């Protein structure tokens, strides 16, 4: 009888371990999907900011980038209140206090900016992005934060005239939807916050 009890307890402990490992693996997969989505956003921003690309193509990527965000850049509800849309904070070495733009306006500013003849941007690789743990905010929605760095170099007449690197963080939402094939996870981006900018 004692042996049966030991076997039963051991089996329960093994099942608990397997369940914890499976949950941990699922969380890591979802966190990686959040980082992938952030990298996709950064790639689109790099394209939009490059004045050497055709304006129509840059506008196409503006639309594609907005589709990565909650509300597609339009108003949405959060915590029972309506927000005008997700925002992007910007800083520079000349202005330490961050300034916040609605994402739609920020992307339009990138496309219409005439300050530089060429722009080069680089972003932290997905594998090096830091990601916080997923936290539930409702029965079917979780949030986490993805941290990355983005360098910027603006050129005039073939010469670099401004360089900086900014540390940023992005709020990411993971929504769980029930489908005929099981659970489906939808990752959407939220506000982007600038934490620190330094001259290069």
């Amino acid at each position: 009888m004692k042996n049966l009890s030991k076997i039963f307890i051991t089996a329960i402990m093994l099942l608990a371990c397997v369940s914890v490992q499976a949950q941990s693996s699922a969380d890591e997969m979802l966190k990686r999907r959040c980082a992938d989505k952030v990298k996709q956003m950064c790639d689109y921003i790099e394209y939009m900011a490059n004045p050497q690309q055709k304006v129509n193509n840059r506008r196409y990527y503006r639309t594609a980038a907005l589709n990565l965000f909650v509300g597609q850049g339009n108003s949405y509800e959060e915590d029972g209140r309506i927000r005008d849309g997700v925002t992007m904070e910007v800083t520079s070495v000349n202005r330490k206090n961050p300034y916040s733009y609605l994402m739609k306006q920020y992307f339009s500013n990138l496309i219409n900016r005439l300050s530089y003849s060429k722009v080069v941007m680089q972003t932290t690789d997905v594998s090096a992005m830091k990601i916080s743990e997923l936290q539930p905010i409702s029965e079917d929605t979780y949030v986490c934060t993805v941290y990355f760095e983005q360098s910027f170099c603006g050129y005039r007449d073939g010469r670099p005239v401004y360089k900086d690197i900014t540390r940023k963080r992005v709020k990411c939402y993971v929504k769980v939807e029930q489908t005929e094939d099981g659970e489906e996870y939808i990752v959407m981006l939220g506000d982007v916050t600038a934490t620190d900018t330094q001259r290069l």
Side-chain angles (χ1 to χ4, degrees), residues 133-164:
E133 294 301 318
L134 288 162
Q135 300 292 332
I137 59 170
S138 70
E139 287 184 7
D140 62 355
T141 306
Y142 297 80
V143 294
C144 68
T145 303
V146 177
Y147 301 83
F148 68 98
E149 292 183 346
Q150 191 173 53
S151 66
F152 174 93
C153 183
Y155 290 77
R156 290 194 193 108
D157 300 322
R159 299 173 61 183
V161 294
Y162 180 86
K163 293 184 189 179
D164 72 20

PDB file of all heavy atoms in Angstrom, residues 133-164:
ATOM      1  N   GLU A 133       8.136  39.156 -18.125  1.00  0.00           N
ATOM      2  CA  GLU A 133       7.223  38.023 -18.035  1.00  0.00           C
ATOM      3  C   GLU A 133       5.814  38.455 -18.461  1.00  0.00           C
ATOM      4  O   GLU A 133       5.412  39.602 -18.275  1.00  0.00           O
ATOM      5  CB  GLU A 133       7.172  37.482 -16.601  1.00  0.00           C
ATOM      6  CG  GLU A 133       8.488  36.877 -16.138  1.00  0.00           C
ATOM      7  CD  GLU A 133       8.963  35.726 -17.018  1.00  0.00           C
ATOM      8  OE1 GLU A 133       8.119  34.887 -17.415  1.00  0.00           O
ATOM      9  OE2 GLU A 133      10.164  35.669 -17.332  1.00  0.00           O
ATOM     10  N   LEU A 134       5.067  37.519 -19.042  1.00  0.00           N
ATOM     11  CA  LEU A 134       3.680  37.783 -19.417  1.00  0.00           C
ATOM     12  C   LEU A 134       2.825  37.921 -18.163  1.00  0.00           C
ATOM     13  O   LEU A 134       2.934  37.103 -17.242  1.00  0.00           O
ATOM     14  CB  LEU A 134       3.145  36.653 -20.290  1.00  0.00           C
ATOM     15  CG  LEU A 134       3.693  36.598 -21.716  1.00  0.00           C
ATOM     16  CD1 LEU A 134       3.439  35.222 -22.330  1.00  0.00           C
ATOM     17  CD2 LEU A 134       3.063  37.678 -22.587  1.00  0.00           C
ATOM     18  N   GLN A 135       1.978  38.945 -18.131  1.00  0.00           N
ATOM     19  CA  GLN A 135       1.086  39.179 -17.000  1.00  0.00           C
ATOM     20  C   GLN A 135      -0.348  39.239 -17.496  1.00  0.00           C
ATOM     21  O   GLN A 135      -0.636  39.942 -18.479  1.00  0.00           O
ATOM     22  CB  GLN A 135       1.438  40.506 -16.304  1.00  0.00           C
ATOM     23  CG  GLN A 135       2.849  40.589 -15.760  1.00  0.00           C
ATOM     24  CD  GLN A 135       3.082  39.646 -14.599  1.00  0.00           C
ATOM     25  OE1 GLN A 135       2.152  39.315 -13.862  1.00  0.00           O
ATOM     26  NE2 GLN A 135       4.319  39.195 -14.434  1.00  0.00           N
ATOM     27  N   PRO A 136      -1.276  38.531 -16.836  1.00  0.00           N
ATOM     28  CA  PRO A 136      -2.684  38.595 -17.276  1.00  0.00           C
ATOM     29  C   PRO A 136      -3.317  39.932 -16.898  1.00  0.00           C
ATOM     30  O   PRO A 136      -3.090  40.446 -15.806  1.00  0.00           O
ATOM     31  CB  PRO A 136      -3.341  37.441 -16.509  1.00  0.00           C
ATOM     32  CG  PRO A 136      -2.489  37.252 -15.295  1.00  0.00           C
ATOM     33  CD  PRO A 136      -1.094  37.617 -15.692  1.00  0.00           C
ATOM     34  N   ILE A 137      -4.092  40.514 -17.826  1.00  0.00           N
ATOM     35  CA  ILE A 137      -4.849  41.727 -17.502  1.00  0.00           C
ATOM     36  C   ILE A 137      -6.354  41.490 -17.656  1.00  0.00           C
ATOM     37  O   ILE A 137      -7.158  42.330 -17.274  1.00  0.00           O
ATOM     38  CB  ILE A 137      -4.410  42.925 -18.373  1.00  0.00           C
ATOM     39  CG1 ILE A 137      -4.592  42.631 -19.866  1.00  0.00           C
ATOM     40  CG2 ILE A 137      -2.983  43.330 -18.060  1.00  0.00           C
ATOM     41  CD1 ILE A 137      -4.395  43.857 -20.751  1.00  0.00           C
ATOM     42  N   SER A 138      -6.717  40.336 -18.223  1.00  0.00           N
ATOM     43  CA  SER A 138      -8.118  39.912 -18.287  1.00  0.00           C
ATOM     44  C   SER A 138      -8.111  38.406 -18.507  1.00  0.00           C
ATOM     45  O   SER A 138      -7.050  37.779 -18.561  1.00  0.00           O
ATOM     46  CB  SER A 138      -8.870  40.643 -19.412  1.00  0.00           C
ATOM     47  OG  SER A 138      -8.416  40.194 -20.675  1.00  0.00           O
ATOM     48  N   GLU A 139      -9.301  37.834 -18.661  1.00  0.00           N
ATOM     49  CA  GLU A 139      -9.396  36.380 -18.835  1.00  0.00           C
ATOM     50  C   GLU A 139      -8.689  35.899 -20.090  1.00  0.00           C
ATOM     51  O   GLU A 139      -8.195  34.780 -20.134  1.00  0.00           O
ATOM     52  CB  GLU A 139     -10.865  35.951 -18.891  1.00  0.00           C
ATOM     53  CG  GLU A 139     -11.575  36.006 -17.549  1.00  0.00           C
ATOM     54  CD  GLU A 139     -12.991  35.480 -17.646  1.00  0.00           C
ATOM     55  OE1 GLU A 139     -13.369  34.953 -18.722  1.00  0.00           O
ATOM     56  OE2 GLU A 139     -13.724  35.584 -16.654  1.00  0.00           O
ATOM     57  N   ASP A 140      -8.647  36.739 -21.124  1.00  0.00           N
ATOM     58  CA  ASP A 140      -8.093  36.284 -22.405  1.00  0.00           C
ATOM     59  C   ASP A 140      -6.961  37.160 -22.935  1.00  0.00           C
ATOM     60  O   ASP A 140      -6.575  37.031 -24.089  1.00  0.00           O
ATOM     61  CB  ASP A 140      -9.209  36.189 -23.446  1.00  0.00           C
ATOM     62  CG  ASP A 140      -9.861  37.544 -23.724  1.00  0.00           C
ATOM     63  OD1 ASP A 140      -9.513  38.532 -23.035  1.00  0.00           O
ATOM     64  OD2 ASP A 140     -10.718  37.614 -24.617  1.00  0.00           O
ATOM     65  N   THR A 141      -6.420  38.053 -22.106  1.00  0.00           N
ATOM     66  CA  THR A 141      -5.381  38.965 -22.588  1.00  0.00           C
ATOM     67  C   THR A 141      -4.222  39.060 -21.600  1.00  0.00           C
ATOM     68  O   THR A 141      -4.436  39.160 -20.390  1.00  0.00           O
ATOM     69  CB  THR A 141      -5.950  40.380 -22.833  1.00  0.00           C
ATOM     70  OG1 THR A 141      -7.084  40.279 -23.700  1.00  0.00           O
ATOM     71  CG2 THR A 141      -4.913  41.280 -23.482  1.00  0.00           C
ATOM     72  N   TYR A 142      -3.018  39.025 -22.152  1.00  0.00           N
ATOM     73  CA  TYR A 142      -1.795  39.146 -21.357  1.00  0.00           C
ATOM     74  C   TYR A 142      -0.968  40.302 -21.913  1.00  0.00           C
ATOM     75  O   TYR A 142      -1.127  40.682 -23.073  1.00  0.00           O
ATOM     76  CB  TYR A 142      -0.970  37.851 -21.443  1.00  0.00           C
ATOM     77  CG  TYR A 142      -1.673  36.646 -20.867  1.00  0.00           C
ATOM     78  CD1 TYR A 142      -2.645  35.970 -21.610  1.00  0.00           C
ATOM     79  CD2 TYR A 142      -1.376  36.186 -19.593  1.00  0.00           C
ATOM     80  CE1 TYR A 142      -3.306  34.865 -21.089  1.00  0.00           C
ATOM     81  CE2 TYR A 142      -2.035  35.083 -19.061  1.00  0.00           C
ATOM     82  CZ  TYR A 142      -2.997  34.433 -19.813  1.00  0.00           C
ATOM     83  OH  TYR A 142      -3.649  33.355 -19.291  1.00  0.00           O
ATOM     84  N   VAL A 143      -0.088  40.843 -21.070  1.00  0.00           N
ATOM     85  CA  VAL A 143       0.821  41.888 -21.543  1.00  0.00           C
ATOM     86  C   VAL A 143       2.247  41.570 -21.116  1.00  0.00           C
ATOM     87  O   VAL A 143       2.479  40.873 -20.124  1.00  0.00           O
ATOM     88  CB  VAL A 143       0.444  43.302 -21.017  1.00  0.00           C
ATOM     89  CG1 VAL A 143      -0.882  43.755 -21.568  1.00  0.00           C
ATOM     90  CG2 VAL A 143       0.470  43.349 -19.506  1.00  0.00           C
ATOM     91  N   CYS A 144       3.197  42.069 -21.895  1.00  0.00           N
ATOM     92  CA  CYS A 144       4.605  42.026 -21.516  1.00  0.00           C
ATOM     93  C   CYS A 144       5.259  43.261 -22.122  1.00  0.00           C
ATOM     94  O   CYS A 144       4.633  44.012 -22.869  1.00  0.00           O
ATOM     95  CB  CYS A 144       5.298  40.744 -21.984  1.00  0.00           C
ATOM     96  SG  CYS A 144       5.484  40.598 -23.775  1.00  0.00           S
ATOM     97  N   THR A 145       6.520  43.488 -21.780  1.00  0.00           N
ATOM     98  CA  THR A 145       7.263  44.627 -22.305  1.00  0.00           C
ATOM     99  C   THR A 145       8.522  44.128 -22.993  1.00  0.00           C
ATOM    100  O   THR A 145       9.239  43.292 -22.437  1.00  0.00           O
ATOM    101  CB  THR A 145       7.650  45.601 -21.171  1.00  0.00           C
ATOM    102  OG1 THR A 145       6.452  46.013 -20.499  1.00  0.00           O
ATOM    103  CG2 THR A 145       8.361  46.826 -21.727  1.00  0.00           C
ATOM    104  N   VAL A 146       8.781  44.635 -24.190  1.00  0.00           N
ATOM    105  CA  VAL A 146       9.984  44.277 -24.948  1.00  0.00           C
ATOM    106  C   VAL A 146      10.913  45.495 -24.957  1.00  0.00           C
ATOM    107  O   VAL A 146      10.484  46.604 -25.273  1.00  0.00           O
ATOM    108  CB  VAL A 146       9.641  43.859 -26.392  1.00  0.00           C
ATOM    109  CG1 VAL A 146      10.915  43.560 -27.179  1.00  0.00           C
ATOM    110  CG2 VAL A 146       8.714  42.650 -26.400  1.00  0.00           C
ATOM    111  N   TYR A 147      12.178  45.259 -24.593  1.00  0.00           N
ATOM    112  CA  TYR A 147      13.183  46.326 -24.525  1.00  0.00           C
ATOM    113  C   TYR A 147      14.178  46.168 -25.678  1.00  0.00           C
ATOM    114  O   TYR A 147      14.622  45.053 -25.962  1.00  0.00           O
ATOM    115  CB  TYR A 147      13.941  46.245 -23.201  1.00  0.00           C
ATOM    116  CG  TYR A 147      13.053  46.373 -21.978  1.00  0.00           C
ATOM    117  CD1 TYR A 147      12.371  45.268 -21.471  1.00  0.00           C
ATOM    118  CD2 TYR A 147      12.900  47.594 -21.333  1.00  0.00           C
ATOM    119  CE1 TYR A 147      11.553  45.387 -20.356  1.00  0.00           C
ATOM    120  CE2 TYR A 147      12.094  47.716 -20.214  1.00  0.00           C
ATOM    121  CZ  TYR A 147      11.422  46.609 -19.730  1.00  0.00           C
ATOM    122  OH  TYR A 147      10.607  46.723 -18.629  1.00  0.00           O
ATOM    123  N   PHE A 148      14.527  47.293 -26.310  1.00  0.00           N
ATOM    124  CA  PHE A 148      15.486  47.238 -27.415  1.00  0.00           C
ATOM    125  C   PHE A 148      16.192  48.580 -27.546  1.00  0.00           C
ATOM    126  O   PHE A 148      15.806  49.573 -26.917  1.00  0.00           O
ATOM    127  CB  PHE A 148      14.795  46.858 -28.725  1.00  0.00           C
ATOM    128  CG  PHE A 148      13.856  47.909 -29.261  1.00  0.00           C
ATOM    129  CD1 PHE A 148      14.262  48.792 -30.261  1.00  0.00           C
ATOM    130  CD2 PHE A 148      12.566  48.037 -28.771  1.00  0.00           C
ATOM    131  CE1 PHE A 148      13.416  49.749 -30.762  1.00  0.00           C
ATOM    132  CE2 PHE A 148      11.700  49.001 -29.267  1.00  0.00           C
ATOM    133  CZ  PHE A 148      12.140  49.858 -30.257  1.00  0.00           C
ATOM    134  N   GLU A 149      17.228  48.605 -28.372  1.00  0.00           N
ATOM    135  CA  GLU A 149      17.944  49.846 -28.693  1.00  0.00           C
ATOM    136  C   GLU A 149      17.850  50.101 -30.191  1.00  0.00           C
ATOM    137  O   GLU A 149      17.842  49.158 -30.987  1.00  0.00           O
ATOM    138  CB  GLU A 149      19.410  49.754 -28.267  1.00  0.00           C
ATOM    139  CG  GLU A 149      19.602  49.706 -26.764  1.00  0.00           C
ATOM    140  CD  GLU A 149      21.066  49.694 -26.375  1.00  0.00           C
ATOM    141  OE1 GLU A 149      21.921  49.468 -27.253  1.00  0.00           O
ATOM    142  OE2 GLU A 149      21.354  49.911 -25.180  1.00  0.00           O
ATOM    143  N   GLN A 150      17.793  51.375 -30.536  1.00  0.00           N
ATOM    144  CA  GLN A 150      17.696  51.752 -31.949  1.00  0.00           C
ATOM    145  C   GLN A 150      18.688  52.885 -32.215  1.00  0.00           C
ATOM    146  O   GLN A 150      18.628  53.934 -31.573  1.00  0.00           O
ATOM    147  CB  GLN A 150      16.269  52.205 -32.254  1.00  0.00           C
ATOM    148  CG  GLN A 150      15.955  52.376 -33.715  1.00  0.00           C
ATOM    149  CD  GLN A 150      14.470  52.650 -33.908  1.00  0.00           C
ATOM    150  OE1 GLN A 150      13.923  53.563 -33.297  1.00  0.00           O
ATOM    151  NE2 GLN A 150      13.825  51.852 -34.737  1.00  0.00           N
ATOM    152  N   SER A 151      19.606  52.651 -33.140  1.00  0.00           N
ATOM    153  CA  SER A 151      20.565  53.701 -33.504  1.00  0.00           C
ATOM    154  C   SER A 151      20.075  54.426 -34.745  1.00  0.00           C
ATOM    155  O   SER A 151      19.380  53.846 -35.590  1.00  0.00           O
ATOM    156  CB  SER A 151      21.955  53.114 -33.745  1.00  0.00           C
ATOM    157  OG  SER A 151      21.950  52.277 -34.886  1.00  0.00           O
ATOM    158  N   PHE A 152      20.440  55.686 -34.837  1.00  0.00           N
ATOM    159  CA  PHE A 152      19.996  56.537 -35.940  1.00  0.00           C
ATOM    160  C   PHE A 152      21.184  57.343 -36.445  1.00  0.00           C
ATOM    161  O   PHE A 152      21.954  57.893 -35.645  1.00  0.00           O
ATOM    162  CB  PHE A 152      18.897  57.491 -35.452  1.00  0.00           C
ATOM    163  CG  PHE A 152      18.462  58.504 -36.471  1.00  0.00           C
ATOM    164  CD1 PHE A 152      17.395  58.238 -37.302  1.00  0.00           C
ATOM    165  CD2 PHE A 152      19.118  59.724 -36.599  1.00  0.00           C
ATOM    166  CE1 PHE A 152      16.983  59.167 -38.247  1.00  0.00           C
ATOM    167  CE2 PHE A 152      18.713  60.657 -37.536  1.00  0.00           C
ATOM    168  CZ  PHE A 152      17.651  60.377 -38.364  1.00  0.00           C
ATOM    169  N   CYS A 153      21.327  57.417 -37.769  1.00  0.00           N
ATOM    170  CA  CYS A 153      22.369  58.258 -38.371  1.00  0.00           C
ATOM    171  C   CYS A 153      21.765  58.983 -39.572  1.00  0.00           C
ATOM    172  O   CYS A 153      21.270  58.344 -40.502  1.00  0.00           O
ATOM    173  CB  CYS A 153      23.574  57.422 -38.799  1.00  0.00           C
ATOM    174  SG  CYS A 153      24.917  58.422 -39.475  1.00  0.00           S
ATOM    175  N   GLY A 154      21.782  60.329 -39.513  1.00  0.00           N
ATOM    176  CA  GLY A 154      21.266  61.145 -40.606  1.00  0.00           C
ATOM    177  C   GLY A 154      22.406  61.754 -41.408  1.00  0.00           C
ATOM    178  O   GLY A 154      23.378  62.257 -40.833  1.00  0.00           O
ATOM    179  N   TYR A 155      22.293  61.700 -42.748  1.00  0.00           N
ATOM    180  CA  TYR A 155      23.342  62.189 -43.655  1.00  0.00           C
ATOM    181  C   TYR A 155      22.858  63.403 -44.441  1.00  0.00           C
ATOM    182  O   TYR A 155      21.665  63.507 -44.777  1.00  0.00           O
ATOM    183  CB  TYR A 155      23.718  61.101 -44.661  1.00  0.00           C
ATOM    184  CG  TYR A 155      24.451  59.922 -44.089  1.00  0.00           C
ATOM    185  CD1 TYR A 155      23.771  58.933 -43.374  1.00  0.00           C
ATOM    186  CD2 TYR A 155      25.821  59.767 -44.281  1.00  0.00           C
ATOM    187  CE1 TYR A 155      24.440  57.833 -42.861  1.00  0.00           C
ATOM    188  CE2 TYR A 155      26.500  58.665 -43.775  1.00  0.00           C
ATOM    189  CZ  TYR A 155      25.802  57.709 -43.064  1.00  0.00           C
ATOM    190  OH  TYR A 155      26.471  56.624 -42.554  1.00  0.00           O
ATOM    191  N   ARG A 156      23.795  64.289 -44.749  1.00  0.00           N
ATOM    192  CA  ARG A 156      23.574  65.353 -45.729  1.00  0.00           C
ATOM    193  C   ARG A 156      24.782  65.400 -46.654  1.00  0.00           C
ATOM    194  O   ARG A 156      25.923  65.381 -46.164  1.00  0.00           O
ATOM    195  CB  ARG A 156      23.406  66.718 -45.039  1.00  0.00           C
ATOM    196  CG  ARG A 156      22.126  66.887 -44.273  1.00  0.00           C
ATOM    197  CD  ARG A 156      21.844  68.327 -43.899  1.00  0.00           C
ATOM    198  NE  ARG A 156      20.777  68.398 -42.904  1.00  0.00           N
ATOM    199  CZ  ARG A 156      20.963  68.707 -41.631  1.00  0.00           C
ATOM    200  NH1 ARG A 156      22.176  68.977 -41.187  1.00  0.00           N
ATOM    201  NH2 ARG A 156      19.948  68.737 -40.802  1.00  0.00           N
ATOM    202  N   ASP A 157      24.520  65.412 -47.932  1.00  0.00           N
ATOM    203  CA  ASP A 157      25.604  65.453 -48.932  1.00  0.00           C
ATOM    204  C   ASP A 157      26.614  64.322 -48.710  1.00  0.00           C
ATOM    205  O   ASP A 157      27.824  64.513 -48.842  1.00  0.00           O
ATOM    206  CB  ASP A 157      26.325  66.812 -48.894  1.00  0.00           C
ATOM    207  CG  ASP A 157      25.372  67.962 -49.189  1.00  0.00           C
ATOM    208  OD1 ASP A 157      24.494  67.781 -50.057  1.00  0.00           O
ATOM    209  OD2 ASP A 157      25.506  69.021 -48.538  1.00  0.00           O
ATOM    210  N   GLY A 158      26.108  63.157 -48.339  1.00  0.00           N
ATOM    211  CA  GLY A 158      26.959  61.978 -48.174  1.00  0.00           C
ATOM    212  C   GLY A 158      27.739  61.924 -46.878  1.00  0.00           C
ATOM    213  O   GLY A 158      28.521  60.996 -46.660  1.00  0.00           O
ATOM    214  N   ARG A 159      27.550  62.895 -45.996  1.00  0.00           N
ATOM    215  CA  ARG A 159      28.301  62.926 -44.743  1.00  0.00           C
ATOM    216  C   ARG A 159      27.354  62.804 -43.555  1.00  0.00           C
ATOM    217  O   ARG A 159      26.300  63.463 -43.526  1.00  0.00           O
ATOM    218  CB  ARG A 159      29.090  64.236 -44.627  1.00  0.00           C
ATOM    219  CG  ARG A 159      30.102  64.418 -45.742  1.00  0.00           C
ATOM    220  CD  ARG A 159      30.741  65.784 -45.682  1.00  0.00           C
ATOM    221  NE  ARG A 159      31.460  65.993 -44.426  1.00  0.00           N
ATOM    222  CZ  ARG A 159      32.065  67.132 -44.107  1.00  0.00           C
ATOM    223  NH1 ARG A 159      32.022  68.158 -44.945  1.00  0.00           N
ATOM    224  NH2 ARG A 159      32.703  67.247 -42.969  1.00  0.00           N
ATOM    225  N   PRO A 160      27.711  61.993 -42.550  1.00  0.00           N
ATOM    226  CA  PRO A 160      26.856  61.886 -41.351  1.00  0.00           C
ATOM    227  C   PRO A 160      26.898  63.181 -40.542  1.00  0.00           C
ATOM    228  O   PRO A 160      27.966  63.692 -40.241  1.00  0.00           O
ATOM    229  CB  PRO A 160      27.477  60.729 -40.574  1.00  0.00           C
ATOM    230  CG  PRO A 160      28.893  60.645 -41.047  1.00  0.00           C
ATOM    231  CD  PRO A 160      28.895  61.123 -42.459  1.00  0.00           C
ATOM    232  N   VAL A 161      25.713  63.727 -40.238  1.00  0.00           N
ATOM    233  CA  VAL A 161      25.659  64.988 -39.495  1.00  0.00           C
ATOM    234  C   VAL A 161      24.999  64.818 -38.119  1.00  0.00           C
ATOM    235  O   VAL A 161      25.109  65.702 -37.272  1.00  0.00           O
ATOM    236  CB  VAL A 161      24.915  66.080 -40.293  1.00  0.00           C
ATOM    237  CG1 VAL A 161      25.693  66.443 -41.544  1.00  0.00           C
ATOM    238  CG2 VAL A 161      23.492  65.634 -40.649  1.00  0.00           C
ATOM    239  N   TYR A 162      24.320  63.699 -37.924  1.00  0.00           N
ATOM    240  CA  TYR A 162      23.708  63.452 -36.609  1.00  0.00           C
ATOM    241  C   TYR A 162      23.653  61.955 -36.360  1.00  0.00           C
ATOM    242  O   TYR A 162      23.208  61.196 -37.212  1.00  0.00           O
ATOM    243  CB  TYR A 162      22.295  64.043 -36.535  1.00  0.00           C
ATOM    244  CG  TYR A 162      21.629  63.796 -35.193  1.00  0.00           C
ATOM    245  CD1 TYR A 162      21.836  64.667 -34.135  1.00  0.00           C
ATOM    246  CD2 TYR A 162      20.821  62.679 -34.988  1.00  0.00           C
ATOM    247  CE1 TYR A 162      21.252  64.435 -32.897  1.00  0.00           C
ATOM    248  CE2 TYR A 162      20.234  62.441 -33.758  1.00  0.00           C
ATOM    249  CZ  TYR A 162      20.451  63.322 -32.712  1.00  0.00           C
ATOM    250  OH  TYR A 162      19.885  63.083 -31.486  1.00  0.00           O
ATOM    251  N   LYS A 163      24.103  61.529 -35.161  1.00  0.00           N
ATOM    252  CA  LYS A 163      24.046  60.119 -34.778  1.00  0.00           C
ATOM    253  C   LYS A 163      23.611  60.025 -33.328  1.00  0.00           C
ATOM    254  O   LYS A 163      24.094  60.785 -32.482  1.00  0.00           O
ATOM    255  CB  LYS A 163      25.428  59.452 -34.879  1.00  0.00           C
ATOM    256  CG  LYS A 163      25.998  59.299 -36.258  1.00  0.00           C
ATOM    257  CD  LYS A 163      27.317  58.541 -36.129  1.00  0.00           C
ATOM    258  CE  LYS A 163      28.100  58.517 -37.405  1.00  0.00           C
ATOM    259  NZ  LYS A 163      29.382  57.788 -37.246  1.00  0.00           N
ATOM    260  N   ASP A 164      22.721  59.066 -33.045  1.00  0.00           N
ATOM    261  CA  ASP A 164      22.379  58.793 -31.643  1.00  0.00           C
ATOM    262  C   ASP A 164      21.904  57.354 -31.506  1.00  0.00           C
ATOM    263  O   ASP A 164      21.706  56.639 -32.495  1.00  0.00           O
ATOM    264  CB  ASP A 164      21.343  59.785 -31.104  1.00  0.00           C
ATOM    265  CG  ASP A 164      19.935  59.587 -31.671  1.00  0.00           C
ATOM    266  OD1 ASP A 164      19.619  58.497 -32.189  1.00  0.00           O
ATOM    267  OD2 ASP A 164      19.129  60.533 -31.600  1.00  0.00           O
TER     268      ASP A 164
END
